[in-house]
Amino acid sequence: MPPQSDENNPPAIRFADACRFWLKLGFISFGGPAGQIAIMHQELVERRRWISEQRFLHALNFCMVLPGPEAQQLATYIGWLMHKTWGGIIAGVLFVLPSLFILIALAWAYIAFGETTLVTGIFYGIKPAVTAIVLQAAHRIGSRALKSSALWVIAMLALIALFAFDVPFPIIIAGAALCGYLGGKYMPDKFQINLGHGDKLQTYGAAIIDDHTPTPPHAIFSWRKLILIVLCGAALWLLPMSILIVLQGWNGTLTQMGWFFTKAALFTFGGAYAVLPYVVQGAVGQYGWLSTPQMMDGMALGETTPGPLIMVVAFVGFVGGYTKAVCGPDMLFLGGALAATLVTWFTFLPSFLFIFAGAPLIETTHNNLNFTAPLTAITAAVVGVIINLTLFFAYHVLWPHGLEGKFDVISAVISLVAVLALFKFKRTIFEVLITCAMLGLLWITATHYM
């Protein structure tokens, strides 16, 4: 007979129940990191009481410091805390696996049917919406992060560095970190830390992992465990990379994808919108795996599917693997699916390692973890980077044939509709994308029959 629960004695967490929840989360995790974290809080803290509010926020603050998708890392952390390493692996994998399969299917449909009036019209309307969505992300992050004049200067310098001089993204991140380190040392009042998750903790009754629940044995830090995790992580990265080098050489498409997205995973401070300029710079500008319009279409698909927005890298991988025919001209779909899977592996592997390596130290110390001044400066630089991405997308939307071509008035109107819907009327991203897609479809259909 299963254990009974009441207000003060919640039942134990069964591994099967946790697996079912993580799978369900993988299919319903819309709304970006804020929406995904809200879903986990509602389910795990409020309804199921698997973890207390304080422990939940303790884990979240740690994940916010790390590069990578914080919502997926939070799921991995809580899964690990409840059911050891396999619990964390299953939680993290199921968080992204549904979106991987969905994006592979959508990417194939996009390539196969992208020239039809229906698909052309939908994406004609979606591109201006994506520009407005990225602008909203810059506003949202900037309003939270730019709390001093020094941080505003860092944001502007990052924008100028990218827009005017095309400085590589990692150099901007490194420069911001250095400014933050020096600023925190000599102007600490200009680099105040604010996590933005509220100061008041609520209680929802006793939780299985409560505020004063002792740290489980598997969550206690030890150097032996840390070394083992690092060695396993290195092996899991080196094995597929070595196979790719043997089969394709260092300059092969799949090899370069693996290396490029490994670097991308290590520079995603500030969430997916922070790494997207780096992906655009490399995947579009340097390697030519896809075009700018295709990248914008991929972002739209990423916004409308469950899972972290950074899963747009699966779309990039599929389109690149498909167009480059990495498995030969007779197996284009297989090449695209293989590239999407490999890109996802190299992008998310570091996130698992960060959790498994760092979480035991966080759980053992139980100290409050704060942002450091360098990370505060990086977040400020990310605002400038995202504004540059907005300008980049706006240029390609409003002047699709370059400045010597015509200004696209209809795209400008759809962009304005999207901006008003997001900023003034506070509509959701999904609602804005659907509305703009319908407007684009109506216009393309009308012009087709004129």
Side-chain angles (χ1 to χ4, degrees), residues 121-420:
I122 288 173
F123 282 101
Y124 178 81
I126 279 178
K127 288 183 179 71
V130 168
T131 305
I133 289 167
V134 177
L135 177 63
Q136 185 200 37
H139 176 266
R140 186 175 65 248
I141 297 173
S143 61
R144 187 178 72 242
L146 303 182
K147 299 296 186 181
S148 70
S149 57
L151 297 176
W152 273 96
V153 169
I154 291 173
M156 292 303 298
L157 288 175
L159 171 61
I160 294 169
L162 264 177
F163 185 81
F165 301 104
D166 199 25
V167 176
F169 185 76
I171 293 178
I172 292 175
I173 293 298
L178 178 61
C179 290
Y181 171 77
L182 296 175
K185 189 174 182 180
Y186 297 107
M187 297 185 297
D189 58 312
K190 301 293 186 182
F191 292 82
Q192 288 297 312
I193 293 163
N194 182 11
L195 289 175
H197 289 288
D199 297 319
K200 295 179 68 176
L201 298 179
Q202 300 185 43
T203 179
Y204 301 93
I208 297 172
I209 303 176
D210 218 334
D211 295 349
H212 303 293
T213 301
T215 301
H218 74 272
I220 296 175
F221 176 81
S222 77
W223 284 105
R224 186 183 67 83
K225 288 181 183 178
L226 178 61
I227 293 172
L228 181 62
I229 289 168
V230 171
L231 291 176
C232 287
L236 290 171
W237 185 86
L238 282 171
L239 181 60
M241 182 59 73
S242 300
I243 293 173
L244 292 175
I245 292 174
V246 170
L247 294 178
Q248 289 202 324
W250 175 250
N251 293 319
T253 298
L254 293 178
T255 309
Q256 286 300 300
M257 282 184 174
W259 176 238
F260 175 76
F261 284 103
T262 297
K263 293 184 291 182
L266 300 176
F267 292 111
T268 52
F269 293 99
Y273 286 108
V275 77
L276 285 174
Y278 179 59
V279 173
V280 171
Q281 196 177 52
V284 177
Q286 182 179 353
Y287 295 105
W289 293 327
L290 75 175
S291 65
T292 299
Q294 287 175 327
M295 184 70 201
M296 297 180 70
D297 293 340
M299 280 188 61
L301 292 176
E303 291 279 12
T304 55
T305 52
L309 177 59
I310 194 60
M311 279 303 296
V312 70
V313 301
F315 178 87
V316 174
F318 185 94
V319 174
Y322 190 101
T323 56
K324 298 295 184 181
V326 295
C327 289
D330 298 326
M331 294 186 289
L332 295 177
F333 175 82
L334 179 61
L338 176 61
T341 304
L342 283 172
V343 161
T344 303
W345 172 268
F346 285 110
T347 299
F348 283 92
L349 178 62
S351 290
F352 286 96
L353 297 180
F354 290 144
I355 295 299
F356 295 147
L361 181 61
I362 302 306
E363 280 298 315
T364 300
T365 60
H366 267 259
N367 290 325
N368 290 326
L369 184 70
N370 293 322
F371 282 119
T372 62
L375 289 173
T376 303
I378 288 173
T379 304
V382 161
V383 176
V385 169
I386 297 173
I387 293 173
N388 177 76
L389 182 64
T390 305
L391 297 173
F392 181 79
F393 282 170
Y395 168 75
H396 285 276
V397 167
L398 301 178
W399 290 275
H401 304 293
L403 291 176
E404 67 279 2
K406 288 185 177 181
F407 178 79
D408 194 330
V409 177
I410 302 302
S411 290
V413 171
I414 297 175
S415 297
L416 181 60
V417 169
V419 169
L420 289 173

Side-chain angles (χ1 to χ4, degrees), residues 41-120:
H41 185 276
Q42 184 180 51
E43 288 285 334
L44 301 179
V45 177
E46 300 176 32
R47 193 170 78 81
R48 302 172 189 257
R49 290 184 284 136
W50 285 356
I51 187 170
S52 70
E53 171 95 344
Q54 182 174 322
R55 296 289 284 270
F56 181 89
L57 292 180
H58 184 73
L60 175 59
N61 288 345
F62 171 57
C63 296
M64 290 290 289
V65 173
L66 300 174
E70 61 266 31
Q72 186 265 351
Q73 290 170 335
L74 180 61
T76 305
Y77 189 115
I78 296 174
W80 164 83
L81 190 58
M82 293 191 302
H83 295 114
K84 305 180 182 180
T85 301
W86 275 110
I89 291 173
I90 289 175
V93 168
L94 292 181
F95 192 87
V96 301
L97 199 59
S99 60
L100 172 61
F101 290 138
I102 291 170
L103 279 169
I104 287 176
L106 290 175
W108 174 79
Y110 171 82
I111 291 178
F113 307 106
E115 299 301 320
T116 63
T117 301
L118 174 65
V119 176
T120 301

